[in-house]
Amino acid sequence: MILQALTQYYEDLLAQGKIARPGWAVAKVSWALELGEDGSLLGLFHLQKEVPRGKKTALVPQELLVPQPVKRSSGVAANFLCDTSSYLLGADSKGKPDRAAECFAAAAALHRQRLDGAQSAAARAILAFFDRWDPVVAPEHPALQQDWPEICKGGNLIFWYNGHPVTEDPEIQTRWQQAQSQAPADTPEGLCLVTGSHVPLARLHPNIKGVAGAQSSGAALVSFNAAAFCSYGHEQGTNAPTGEYAAFAYTTALNQLLSDREHIRRVGDTTLVCWAAGGQSAYQDFLMDAFYDDAPTEQDIRNTLFRLAEGLPVDWQDQRLDPDTRFYILGLAPNAARLSVRFFWQNSFGTLARNITRHYERLEIVRPAYDNFPTLPLWRLVRETVNLNARSPDPSPRLAGDLLLAVLNDAPYPATLLDGVTLRIRADKQITGGRAAILKAWYLRNSQDEQLKEVMTVELNEQSNYLPYVLGRLFSVLEGVQQKANGKTTIKDRYFNSASATPATVFPLLLNLAQKHLAKLDGGLATYYNKRITELNARITQTLPARLTLPEQSAFQIGYYHETQKRYTKKEEQ
């Protein structure tokens, strides 16, 4: 299903003219070799562009449409028209002149085979270049001498003739297309599992580039490197039969997705790409705003999510979002020279919007006035589980992936999310808005305890008599008394964890301490806090438990958070 969806996406983009046709690919090219009519090297053009990198600028290669590069391992295999100095100039700085000569000979043979008999001036200039070029003079050639150290670092070069890249020459394009349409005589044929057609099968699939942590030269999504991974005597391409067209199409589409930095995200060690059937980018734009980023137009996004969840089409960025459109999300992780598929999600865009809406509804909770981002994107959720002051404050890759899948499928949240948040609360003795939202969402989705769900509300539930929740509220009021009396609080630092775990041991001490603090307050304030303590004490109709379970401790923490937010809200109103 993954390869079929990517192949269809390639065909959608090809129909819109947004992607390279078969036999061609976009490559990063650093220099152009300007050729004369007689094949002489006239000059070297710099094709790099300046791009901002932080406060500085850096030179990056230009992306040009070139003939599809071959897949190299350790052998010698030349590319047509665009390659490194080893192949096009026969020289490099690797200290292996014999191998460089072998590379140049392979490139010369390939170009002679493809262009033999060509009549265009650009094709004749390329053939003449390979006939007259002497690799020995490359480092000292006037056109190359100044930039030779940079050229040898491995950047791509391309032939240039009469002010244009030779890839634009019509006859050269035609000859390359003809060569691509002719499969080698020894190419096996079979039933392509992607298209269902009987076609020549690809022995090796092109590399995938852009997955964080994978090899910079690219990694394989489909490959076999040992007999143990093959079946029924099939080897290489016949073990997972994929036609040459399908192999080109799915890898080209996936590389296109990975090169679009605005529409990919990392979750732990997993690189995420997404696309919609039909190739409209508005679906990707909306998902980035709604799910991964701190959205400045939060209300517009929430309204759009709600309409899509209801099955209604919506206009977004001058494009129509159809809830019935098929949508795909693919998670890839590095695995040496290969890629691991962490997950593949596919469903209608309306289903995705509905699941995200339910997730955000569960996360909704009262927040401090200074919190400018009521919507919690995924990266902010996992960040609540780590110590931001640690040397490497990175969340667990497994947690991030499991959480994403839970949201996409509207499934129960992973237990590691609750574990991470409760550990941070115990360590920091701080319940932030994000941590409280996670506690609320986790129990609303995962728990079957209706009494516990009763207190997992957006704002303070003043009618609840659930003991752990009431004790959390009472602790917040006792903290407020101490703050008013001393201008600071120490009971949270000293007693918060023990009060939430063993209330029978701690609360008698805290209530006795509160009476001493009340004696320091003026009459009106003392009366107010005394009344609040009495009201909450009246809701405690049973003996204080010696221990609270983990869900009960979470209810305690939510009660503390709700009461604290109400106390601060009243203060701001006054």
Side-chain angles (χ1 to χ4, degrees):
M1 290 300 295
I2 299 175
L3 304 191
Q4 289 176 328
L6 287 169
T7 300
Q8 182 60 53
Y9 181 64
Y10 167 81
E11 293 176 348
D12 292 336
L13 294 182
L14 185 63
Q16 301 172 27
K18 296 179 179 179
I19 202 167
R21 61 188 184 276
W24 298 80
V26 174
K28 296 179 179 180
V29 186
S30 299
W31 298 278
L33 299 171
E34 184 186 13
L35 302 182
E37 186 177 354
D38 59 352
S40 59
L41 180 58
L42 303 180
L44 181 74
F45 291 156
H46 288 254
L47 299 181
Q48 300 100 324
K49 301 180 296 183
E50 281 194 353
V51 297
R53 293 284 175 83
K55 296 182 179 179
K56 300 180 180 180
T57 59
L59 290 175
V60 298
Q62 190 174 150
E63 293 186 346
L64 297 178
L65 191 65
V66 301
Q68 178 72 37
V70 297
K71 186 173 182 179
R72 291 177 182 146
S73 53
S74 58
V76 173
N79 289 322
F80 188 57
L81 304 180
C82 177
D83 217 321
T84 62
S85 65
S86 300
Y87 287 89
L88 296 192
L89 299 174
D92 53 38
S93 59
K94 298 179 181 178
K96 297 180 179 180
D98 293 340
R99 189 180 189 283
E102 187 180 354
C103 293
F104 181 75
L110 174 64
H111 286 79
R112 289 177 182 133
Q113 178 186 2
R114 295 287 183 264
L115 301 178
D116 184 39
Q119 298 301 312
S120 72
R124 292 199 306 269
I126 294 173
L127 293 174
F129 169 81
F130 281 106
D131 289 337
R132 66 180 295 168
W133 179 253
D134 183 5
V136 176
V137 305
E140 305 299 330
H141 193 283
L144 306 174
Q145 187 175 12
Q146 182 177 354
D147 298 296
W148 186 248
E150 293 296 322
I151 293 174
C152 290
K153 290 183 177 180
N156 284 326
L157 302 101
I158 193 171
F159 290 119
W160 208 268
Y161 181 79
N162 196 25
H164 299 280
V166 295
T167 51
E168 296 180 359
D169 183 85
E171 185 175 4
I172 292 178
Q173 291 179 350
T174 300
R175 282 179 169 264
W176 174 251
Q177 289 297 136
Q178 291 174 346
Q180 290 299 105
S181 62
Q182 299 174 358
D186 60 344
T187 301
E189 294 191 357
L191 184 66
C192 175
L193 296 181
V194 178
T195 63
S197 304
H198 193 82
V199 293
L201 301 178
R203 179 176 175 271
L204 298 175
H205 296 198
N207 277 339
I208 307 300
K209 299 181 179 180
V211 176
Q215 293 183 355
S216 59
S217 58
L221 187 61
V222 179
S223 70
F224 307 90
N225 69 333
F229 306 134
C230 300
S231 57
Y232 298 100
H234 297 300
E235 297 181 359
Q236 295 289 71
T238 58
N239 192 48
T242 305
E244 292 185 343
Y245 166 75
F248 168 81
Y250 91 77
T251 54
T252 303
L254 187 50
N255 280 321
Q256 174 93 347
L257 289 167
L258 289 167
S259 66
D260 184 2
R261 311 311 294 181
E262 293 183 359
H263 293 141
I264 66 171
R265 292 293 184 272
R266 283 192 63 187
V267 178
D269 66 342
T270 303
T271 300
L272 303 176
V273 294
C274 60
W275 69 96
Q280 292 188 45
S281 61
Y283 292 90
Q284 297 165 293
D285 294 333
F286 180 77
L287 182 65
M288 294 299 108
D289 289 340
F291 199 28
Y292 297 111
D293 300 331
D294 287 319
T297 56
E298 182 214 357
Q299 193 57 46
D300 291 342
I301 289 176
R302 296 296 292 271
N303 291 339
T304 303
L305 279 172
F306 180 78
R307 288 179 59 84
L308 288 169
E310 293 293 316
L312 302 173
V314 178
D315 290 327
W316 183 266
Q317 296 183 354
D318 300 326
Q319 295 187 52
R320 174 60 60 94
L321 300 181
D322 186 351
D324 295 328
T325 297
R326 202 74 177 166
F327 197 77
Y328 307 90
I329 302 177
L330 176 62
L332 298 172
N335 182 16
R338 294 166 180 78
L339 298 177
S340 298
V341 177
R342 282 293 172 84
F343 67 88
F344 179 57
W345 185 91
Q346 57 175 329
N347 212 316
S348 69
F349 198 68
T351 299
L352 176 64
R354 182 164 59 252
N355 292 346
I356 295 176
T357 299
R358 291 172 178 171
H359 167 67
Y360 280 143
E361 286 175 348
R362 288 191 290 264
L363 284 175
E364 190 172 351
I365 197 166
V366 61
R367 293 179 177 275
Y370 58 80
D371 191 337
N372 297 322
F373 299 101
T375 299
L376 283 170
L378 194 67
W379 69 270
R380 288 175 66 89
L381 286 179
V382 296
R383 196 177 68 164
E384 294 289 355
T385 65
V386 299
N387 181 9
L388 298 180
N389 296 321
R391 180 174 299 179
S392 299
D394 296 325
S396 165
R398 181 65 181 271
L399 165 61
D402 290 347
L403 175 59
L404 176 61
L405 273 179
V407 176
L408 293 177
N409 295 311
D410 193 28
Y413 295 111
T416 48
L417 177 64
L418 179 65
D419 293 342
V421 168
T422 53
L423 286 174
R424 290 315 321 152
I425 292 176
R426 290 172 185 169
D428 302 341
K429 302 175 185 64
Q430 295 289 338
I431 305 181
T432 63
R435 292 172 183 173
I438 291 173
L439 291 177
K440 172 178 176 286
W442 199 95
Y443 284 104
L444 285 178
R445 182 62 185 88
N446 293 47
S447 177
Q448 302 300 320
D449 187 341
E450 295 301 325
Q451 191 175 22
L452 179 61
K453 288 184 177 182
E454 175 188 283
V455 298
M456 298 297 169
T457 53
V458 177
E459 297 181 326
L460 178 65
N461 185 347
E462 298 194 34
Q463 306 306 316
S464 176
N465 291 326
Y466 186 42
L467 182 58
Y469 185 74
V470 174
L471 290 176
R473 294 181 59 191
L474 179 58
F475 189 94
S476 175
V477 173
L478 297 178
E479 179 190 27
V481 172
Q482 187 182 45
Q483 284 180 331
K484 291 297 182 181
N486 299 337
K488 59 181 181 179
T489 177
T490 58
I491 66 167
K492 186 172 71 170
D493 298 333
R494 293 186 59 184
Y495 299 111
F496 185 81
N497 289 339
S498 56
S500 63
T502 57
T505 304
V506 177
F507 268 93
L509 173 65
L510 295 179
L511 290 169
N512 182 53
L513 191 62
Q515 296 304 314
K516 299 177 181 179
H517 294 146
L518 286 170
K520 299 179 182 179
L521 301 181
D522 59 61
L525 203 54
T527 302
Y528 166 77
Y529 275 110
N530 207 4
K531 181 180 178 182
R532 294 290 297 142
I533 294 173
T534 302
E535 289 175 352
L536 292 173
N537 273 327
R539 293 184 178 275
I540 302 175
T541 59
Q542 61 192 80
T543 305
L544 292 179
R547 291 190 177 277
L548 295 181
T549 63
L550 182 61
E552 291 172 338
Q553 291 179 42
S554 297
F556 179 99
Q557 293 156 0
I558 288 291
Y560 169 83
Y561 178 81
H562 278 162
E563 185 69 35
T564 302
Q565 292 306 311
K566 180 181 180 182
R567 179 152 46 89
Y568 286 143
T569 301
K570 280 193 171 184
K571 182 178 179 181
E572 290 167 2
E573 290 174 352
Q574 291 172 359

